[in-house]
Amino acid sequence: MENLISLVNKIQRACTALGDHGEASALPTLWDSLPAIAVVGGQSSGKSSVLESIVGKDFLPRGSGIVTRRPLVLQLHKIEEGSREYAEFLHLPRKRFTDFAAVRKEISDETDRETGRSKQISSVPIHLSIYSPNVVNLTLIDLPGLTKVAVEGQSDTIVQEIENMVRSYIEKPNCIILAISPANQDLATSDAIRISREVDPTGERTLGVLTKIDLMDKGTDAVEILEGKSYRLKFPWVGL
C-alpha cells in the first residue's frame, strides 16, 4: 500500500507539472483517474486548523476574506524518526524549507504571482510536499472556501467561480470529500454539507469534520451531530 501511495504521489506531481490539475474539461484526464482527498468548507470554517492538525505545523496563511485563492495540493511524506522536518514546493525544485513561517509566506507570494495582488482566484494549484516523521503518507487538496458574497476587489461572479472550482474536484467518483463544518453555526446552513450532498447524496465518500466545538453557545450540544442524528453519513463524524 505504501508503494502504491508513493506512486500516486509521483503521478500527481507529474500531472501538476504538465498542467493537468483537475479543471473541468470536456475530456477525462489522467488526474481525473487518480484518487484524491479534497478539503471543503466555507470561509472561516476551520479548514486551515484541520490541515495544520494533521501536519502538526502552522504553515497556512491566515486572515479575513478569501485567504485560500488557489488549490493547494499537499503531499505528506513520512520519513525516519529523528530526521528534520522540511517542505518543498514544486515550483522551487531542490529548495528545502525548514522554517514553516517561510512556507506560509511562500504560499502567499506564489498565490500573488498567479493572481496579482487582487482578491481574485485561480484554478492553477500550488504543489507543496512536507516531509516529517510525524505524518502519514497522504495527499490532500485544500480548496478555496465557499462564500456567499463578493467583497470589494472581487468580481460579482466569484461566488459561482469558487463553487464551480470546488465542484470540479469533488464531483469525481474517486474523490473523498473532507467536509468541514463549524459547530457554532447551524449545520443546516453548512456550505460544505450542502455541496457534498449535491455530488454525494448517499454520503458514501464524505467524511464530516465538526470544528470549533469550543465556541458553541452555552446550552448547545454537538453530540447529535457527532452521532449522525442531525445529518447521517456513511462514516462517523469527527470532532475537532
Side-chain angles (χ1 to χ4, degrees), residues 21 23 69-71 114 121-126 165 168-169:
H21 40 73
E23 269 192 302
R69 293 186 285 116
R70 294 174 59 183
E114 179 67 27
I121 63 169
S122 169
S123 61
V124 179
I126 297 172
M165 184 193 301
S168 72
Y169 281 89

Side-chain angles (χ1 to χ4, degrees), residues 19-95:
D20 176 7
H21 40 73
E23 269 192 302
S25 60
L27 298 174
T29 66
L30 179 56
W31 179 285
D32 295 336
S33 302
L34 298 173
I37 303 175
V39 185
V40 179
Q43 285 187 37
S44 303
S45 62
K47 289 194 300 100
S48 295
S49 296
V50 171
L51 287 168
E52 289 179 341
S53 295
I54 293 173
V55 176
K57 291 288 185 181
D58 295 335
F59 67 97
L60 292 171
R62 301 296 179 94
S64 59
I66 301 176
V67 179
T68 304
R69 293 186 285 116
R70 294 174 59 183
L72 175 69
V73 179
L74 174 63
Q75 289 190 339
L76 307 180
H77 306 265
K78 186 173 180 62
I79 56 178
E80 292 183 2
E81 291 293 333
S83 299
R84 188 175 186 182
E85 299 166 302
Y86 66 94
E88 291 181 342
F89 288 93
L90 186 63
H91 64 273
L92 293 173
R94 295 180 296 279
K95 181 175 181 179

Side-chain angles (χ1 to χ4, degrees), residues 40-42 146 170 177-182 186-201 206-210 225 230-233 237:
V40 179
L146 296 159
I170 67 173
I177 306 166
L178 210 60
I180 313 297
S181 298
D186 187 350
L187 191 65
T189 64
S190 168
D191 293 308
I193 291 301
R194 173 187 59 81
I195 197 169
S196 299
R197 181 184 291 173
E198 292 174 6
V199 300
D200 180 32
T206 300
L207 297 175
V209 180
L210 195 65
I225 298 175
S230 297
Y231 180 69
R232 183 172 297 278
L233 298 170
W237 281 77

Side-chain angles (χ1 to χ4, degrees), residues 122-167:
S122 169
S123 61
V124 179
I126 297 172
H127 197 292
L128 171 64
S129 292
I130 293 179
Y131 298 80
S132 169
N134 305 314
V135 300
V136 295
N137 293 319
L138 194 65
T139 297
L140 299 153
I141 304 169
D142 184 24
L143 296 168
L146 296 159
T147 185
K148 293 180 173 64
V149 295
V151 300
E152 185 176 354
Q154 296 174 345
S155 67
D156 294 336
T157 61
I158 195 165
V159 174
Q160 192 60 50
E161 288 172 5
I162 292 175
E163 182 161 326
N164 291 343
M165 184 193 301
V166 171
R167 194 182 297 276

Side-chain angles (χ1 to χ4, degrees), residues 7-28:
L7 176 60
V8 170
N9 287 349
K10 291 177 182 178
I11 296 173
Q12 285 175 325
R13 286 199 295 273
C15 287
T16 302
L18 295 171
D20 176 7
H21 40 73
E23 269 192 302
S25 60
L27 298 174

